[in-house]
Amino acid sequence: MSPVLALAVVAVLLGAAVVAGAVLRHREGAQRRAGVVRFDPADAGAPLGQRATLVQFSTELCAKCPQVRRLLGSYAAEQDGLRHVEIDLTTRPDLASRYRVLQTPTTLVVDGSGEVVARFHGVPQRHALTDAVAAA
């Protein structure tokens, strides 16, 4: 293979990697479709908030989970009728398959009746979180 052709292949692969990384970074923290899922309050070990509940799924080795815990905790403290609940999937791995959690942190916005109205992967964007809570 000629050096020019090899350099062109490397440049194309590098460009594809940069585009893929930008797309993944843009999607992280954005609100996603929740699907038809109901959250069981017994899984949280606490009652749901009157207006909504922010259910955070985390693990012991998750690097972003402490940041999300602080964000959701302060956000819930600022809002009336809003509760933040954190579930450690290390001790409850059965919930990962039930709620289709493929990465941590994953946050569900659950309305007062247990319906999941929004889902976030990674660190939620505050404005998207506000929109999701308003929809609940």
Side-chain angles (χ1 to χ4, degrees):
M1 181 183 292
S2 73
V4 174
L5 182 59
L7 188 59
V9 169
V10 169
V12 168
L13 290 175
L14 182 62
V18 167
V19 169
V23 168
L24 289 175
R25 177 167 280 199
H26 176 71
R27 291 184 58 186
E28 182 174 308
Q31 180 178 344
R32 302 195 184 190
R33 260 180 11 114
V36 184
V37 178
R38 293 194 59 76
F39 184 78
D40 184 0
D43 292 337
L48 297 178
Q50 292 173 347
R51 207 169 98 207
T53 303
L54 306 173
V55 180
Q56 175 189 350
F57 292 101
S58 60
T59 56
E60 292 176 0
L61 300 177
C62 173
K64 294 180 181 178
C65 291
Q67 176 186 358
V68 173
R69 180 183 311 117
R70 288 188 299 272
L71 170 73
L72 297 179
S74 66
Y75 188 83
E78 296 169 0
Q79 308 281 329
D80 289 333
L82 193 60
R83 167 176 256 144
H84 170 236
V85 175
E86 184 175 6
I87 299 174
D88 186 357
L89 293 178
T90 308
T91 59
R92 295 291 313 268
D94 58 309
L95 298 181
S97 61
R98 183 180 307 164
Y99 297 110
R100 298 182 202 113
V101 177
L102 300 177
Q103 74 179 62
T104 56
T106 293
T107 303
L108 303 179
V109 178
V110 180
D111 69 9
S113 68
E115 174 113 11
V116 177
V117 296
R119 174 184 209 96
F120 298 92
H121 300 288
V123 181
Q125 298 170 358
R126 196 169 181 90
H127 66 85
L129 197 58
T130 300
D131 293 343
V133 169

